[in-house]
Amino acid sequence: MSANLLARVSSALEDADLARRHGRVSNVIGLIIEATGVQAEVGEVCLVATERTGVPVSAEVVGFRDGRTLLMPLGELQGIGPGTKVLPTGAPFRVPVGSSLLGRVIDGLGTPLDGSAAPLQVSFRSTLAPPPGSLQRPLIEERVALGVRALDSLIPCGRGQRLGIFAGSGVGKSSLLGMIARSTSASVNVIALVGERGREVREFVQRDLGDALERSVVVVATSDQPALVRIKAAFTATTIAEHFRDEGKDVLLLMDSLTRFATAQRELGLAIGEPPATRGYTPSVFALLPRLLERAGTSPAGSITGLYTVLVDGDDMNEPIADAARSILDGHVVLSRALAHSGHYPAIDVLQSVSRLTNEIVPPELVRAGQRLRSAMASLAEKQDLISVGAYRAGADPQLDAALAHRAQIDAFLRQAVDERSTPADSDAQLLALAAALDSAREEHTGEVLDGEVIAGRADADDDPFEPSGPPAIPLLGPSL
């Protein structure tokens, strides 16, 4: 026996727990298993024996109370009763990672769901990991193509940026995510479907994702799964994305939805006795959100560009989870129910959406063009009521006149079919052309050269600026003299 082998065996024996103690289940209340006699740490996985099936159920230590260990099962509770044996594994929860996961659909615990055998060429990695160091993150200076014209031109996303997609239910979040996954310039997609309806999973994989599945990993935890499995699904997807990032790849992490992740953590917190805070969300929810979101971003090896959907309650964009996510993320995209009901797809409310890195990743001329288009859209939105009832008089607002003249072109630019693909170059060219057309139309109405010094129609220096040059806009009241 070689010295190297002896050293490895000796090291294994030193690290091995040769006298592991097992505990016993003392109580089961709701989602929580209470056990006594267990020596384990928070986050450690334990095996809970079952009397009927004989297959142990994995459970994670989530806290302690009055000398008892609190465990949350990663499976069903059937077969667990008083006195059932609980055996600590001495290790945290780990998931498989590797290139063989590409094209696969797995559950929140890393088990294949697509009917194929488990991938063989994988390694295992803990779902608990710190984010990249603040000073080790490279600056975000490059735009990543998302394939959606309204996003690439007006709400650009940088490589390694984190954007939130805020919307109510039924506004088109899943279709937008599938559209981005098919058209993005990122080399790998990692998609987490947290708390989704079981019916929608196959629809998303086959209809929305389509051929992009070949370079994607889909992690699924449906709404009927235990709360801890739904939480683990978000961390499993993030861990897989970190593996590809550490290999030097640019990863696009799509998570739907952050709200259902927070809801699962609220269930867990209430089950172990946390006091409810804002709208019933426990303090651990707001502590866990940055721990998840900060793990995306740039690193010296690669990048994770994160897109997280936020399902707002009652279309309230200021509800607690939406407000907390907006404060952490690097920008937000708002989907409008009114636009969706009018048949406008994608239903992106450009005026309510913002990317905090626009000036860092987009040339100045594109920034100015985007601002001009936003100004035109803001004028249309502000005077919409007057336009609808026919009370607006042409010529009263030159900027609005220009926007009205090009309203159809603006609408066509922002609309995009689900199967239509767009590149940043095409989006930029159309945006510049549209902004130039708006400037030209405004110049025609006012005589102003927006980027120059000459303004036609300006009063001469000798003229009295307060002297009226024509009849008053409103006739004088009373009898004429």
Side-chain angles (χ1 to χ4, degrees):
M1 186 177 292
S2 65
N4 187 24
L5 181 58
L6 285 174
R8 291 170 54 190
V9 172
S10 176
S11 176
L13 290 174
E14 290 177 359
D15 296 336
D17 188 0
L18 302 180
R20 285 196 298 179
R21 291 181 54 186
H22 65 265
R24 297 284 180 178
V25 173
S26 62
N27 205 355
V28 176
I29 302 177
L31 304 175
I32 293 296
I33 301 172
E34 296 184 359
T36 57
V38 179
Q39 290 185 340
E41 302 173 351
V42 172
E44 183 175 337
V45 176
C46 298
L47 299 178
V48 184
T50 54
E51 301 296 337
R52 298 179 181 177
T53 62
V55 179
V57 175
S58 297
E60 184 175 290
V61 178
V62 295
F64 306 94
R65 182 193 300 153
D66 298 331
R68 291 168 294 179
T69 303
L70 306 180
L71 302 104
M72 176 73 77
L74 294 168
E76 298 298 331
L77 290 170
Q78 284 79 4
I80 299 175
T84 302
K85 184 184 295 185
V86 180
L87 182 64
T89 63
F93 178 70
R94 300 175 184 273
V95 294
V97 295
S99 299
S100 58
L101 289 177
L102 292 174
R104 304 298 302 272
V105 181
I106 61 177
D107 66 9
L109 306 180
T111 305
L113 292 176
D114 49 15
S116 301
L120 299 177
Q121 298 179 351
V122 296
S123 57
F124 287 85
R125 185 165 176 163
S126 173
T127 57
L128 303 177
S134 301
L135 297 182
Q136 282 70 47
R137 293 175 183 253
L139 296 178
I140 299 175
E141 300 174 335
E142 182 182 356
R143 180 171 44 162
V144 61
L146 299 180
V148 181
R149 194 160 44 242
L151 295 180
D152 287 336
S153 57
L154 298 174
I155 317 162
C157 180
R159 194 175 301 277
Q161 187 176 350
R162 302 160 303 166
L163 277 179
I165 301 177
F166 295 72
S169 57
V171 185
K173 297 186 301 299
S174 297
S175 299
L176 180 60
L177 289 183
M179 193 174 177
I180 294 172
R182 291 194 305 271
S183 305
T184 181
S185 60
S187 54
V188 175
N189 297 322
V190 180
I191 304 168
L193 304 179
V194 181
E196 284 291 322
R197 306 176 186 90
R199 173 187 60 82
E200 293 183 339
V201 173
R202 188 167 186 174
E203 290 181 1
F204 177 83
V205 172
Q206 295 186 353
R207 184 189 63 190
D208 297 330
L209 190 56
D211 56 1
L213 179 62
E214 297 178 358
R215 56 189 179 97
S216 304
V217 182
V218 183
V219 183
V220 177
T222 53
S223 57
D224 61 306
Q225 295 291 313
L228 189 57
V229 176
R230 282 175 274 150
I231 295 171
K232 290 300 180 185
F235 284 104
T236 296
T238 303
T239 302
I240 294 173
E242 288 174 333
H243 168 78
F244 288 113
R245 180 192 63 189
D246 293 345
E247 289 186 342
K249 295 182 172 63
D250 292 318
V251 184
L252 180 64
L253 174 61
L254 305 172
M255 188 173 296
D256 184 18
S257 75
L258 201 62
T259 303
R260 294 191 178 108
F261 166 80
T263 302
Q265 178 60 30
R266 177 175 62 182
E267 293 180 29
L268 175 60
L270 292 174
I272 63 176
E274 277 192 80
T278 309
R279 291 200 186 179
Y281 288 101
T282 57
S284 63
V285 173
F286 302 100
L288 197 61
L289 281 175
R291 289 171 51 193
L292 174 69
L293 298 177
E294 287 292 340
R295 289 172 63 175
T298 58
S299 76
S303 68
I304 299 176
T305 303
L307 297 182
Y308 303 87
T309 68
V310 180
L311 183 64
V312 294
D313 186 13
D315 291 347
D316 180 9
M317 297 298 169
N318 296 315
E319 59 97 20
I321 300 303
D323 198 45
R326 192 163 46 242
S327 67
I328 301 171
L329 298 172
D330 305 316
H332 53 273
V333 178
V334 176
L335 302 187
S336 167
R337 188 175 298 277
L339 289 175
H341 287 174
S342 66
H344 186 289
Y345 184 83
I348 298 173
D349 190 339
V350 174
L351 297 179
Q352 298 296 324
S353 306
V354 65
S355 172
R356 297 182 181 177
L357 296 176
T358 299
N359 294 330
E360 285 75 14
I361 60 178
V362 173
E365 61 272 15
L366 289 175
V367 175
R368 289 193 294 268
Q371 291 172 345
R372 289 170 184 170
L373 181 55
R374 284 177 178 268
S375 297
M377 295 176 64
S379 297
L380 287 171
E382 182 182 356
K383 304 290 176 52
Q384 183 60 45
D385 292 340
L386 292 176
I387 298 171
S388 299
V389 300
Y392 174 71
R393 184 180 64 181
D397 186 345
Q399 179 166 288
L400 180 58
D401 292 335
L404 286 172
H406 294 84
R407 191 171 190 173
Q409 292 90 325
I410 294 174
D411 190 64
F413 176 75
L414 297 177
R415 288 175 183 260
Q416 187 173 344
V418 176
D419 55 354
E420 179 186 354
R421 300 196 179 188
S422 175
T423 64
D426 294 338
S427 301
D428 295 347
Q430 294 183 45
L431 176 62
L432 290 172
L434 186 55
L438 289 169
D439 288 347
S440 177
R442 183 174 177 181
E443 290 172 14
E444 292 177 1
H445 286 88
T446 64
E448 296 183 4
V449 180
L450 298 181
D451 293 330
E453 297 294 334
V454 179
I455 301 180
R458 180 181 293 172
D460 295 334
D462 296 335
D463 293 342
D464 185 353
F466 299 101
E467 181 179 352
S469 58
I474 302 175
L476 298 176
L477 300 178
S480 59
L481 299 178

